[in-house]
Amino acid sequence: MSRWSILAFGALLGFAEPALAQRMTEQFIPIGRSPGVSGTYSVIGTVEAVDRTARTVRIAGPQGAVTLAFTDSTRIWIDRSEQRQSALVGSITDLVVGRRIEAKYLGPDRRDAADWIKVAGAPPGQEIDAAVVSMLLATPALWQRVDRHPQRRESVRLEP
């Protein structure tokens, strides 16, 4: 291998490295703060509608509403930076109407689909453990009351 080809290959790796680094750490960057992405290659707004069957999310943003498709390769994260907690891997069930959202377009020429989606976590005091909710939905006759905050004695009443 010649010296020039080694230098060219090294330069190519040097240019690819920052993009790869951002891709690997993107889930930890809060909504609206992705350098070079937020507002340029992404849409920021609130979830207006979610169609789980068609696999689309409608986002109401400052430039109007945008509908984006998401696939199995679309990554979804829960941004909990406002609660001073680290982000979590999310799913389609975390796309809740009214929540703040940022979705990166699949590419500059693919503004109809999302590469990744960040959705704001639930405000403090409104989190309910997903495992408890799943269990309640599966067996509603067994569960009538769930303590959301036992120390404050708040509860949620579910009627079958």
Side-chain angles (χ1 to χ4, degrees), residues 128-148:
I128 297 178
D129 188 89
V132 173
V133 171
S134 297
M135 187 170 43
L136 287 170
L137 292 175
T139 56
L142 300 176
W143 295 92
Q144 295 295 315
R145 188 171 144 282
V146 177
D147 286 330
R148 188 169 27 160

Side-chain angles (χ1 to χ4, degrees), residues 31 77-83 99-100 119-124 127:
I31 292 174
W77 298 303
I78 303 169
D79 175 17
R80 302 186 314 159
S81 60
E82 290 184 10
Q83 291 91 1
R99 292 250 177 99
R100 189 163 181 247
V119 62
E127 309 93 349

Side-chain angles (χ1 to χ4, degrees), residues 53-77:
T53 307
R55 300 186 59 86
T56 61
V57 60
R58 187 164 177 80
I59 303 167
Q63 290 84 22
V66 176
T67 301
L68 294 176
F70 49 90
T71 65
D72 292 332
S73 63
T74 301
R75 294 158 295 159
I76 299 173
W77 298 303

Side-chain angles (χ1 to χ4, degrees), residues 11-89:
L12 180 64
L13 286 178
F15 288 121
E17 190 173 320
L20 178 62
Q22 182 169 349
R23 187 170 172 82
M24 306 246 336
T25 60
E26 186 63 51
Q27 85 177 77
F28 303 107
I29 302 171
I31 292 174
R33 296 196 181 150
S34 295
V37 175
S38 292
T40 305
Y41 296 107
S42 71
V43 60
I44 302 170
T46 57
V47 177
E48 194 173 78
V50 179
D51 186 340
R52 289 178 173 82
T53 307
R55 300 186 59 86
T56 61
V57 60
R58 187 164 177 80
I59 303 167
Q63 290 84 22
V66 176
T67 301
L68 294 176
F70 49 90
T71 65
D72 292 332
S73 63
T74 301
R75 294 158 295 159
I76 299 173
W77 298 303
I78 303 169
D79 175 17
R80 302 186 314 159
S81 60
E82 290 184 10
Q83 291 91 1
R84 298 185 183 267
Q85 297 177 349
S86 44
L88 298 173
V89 173

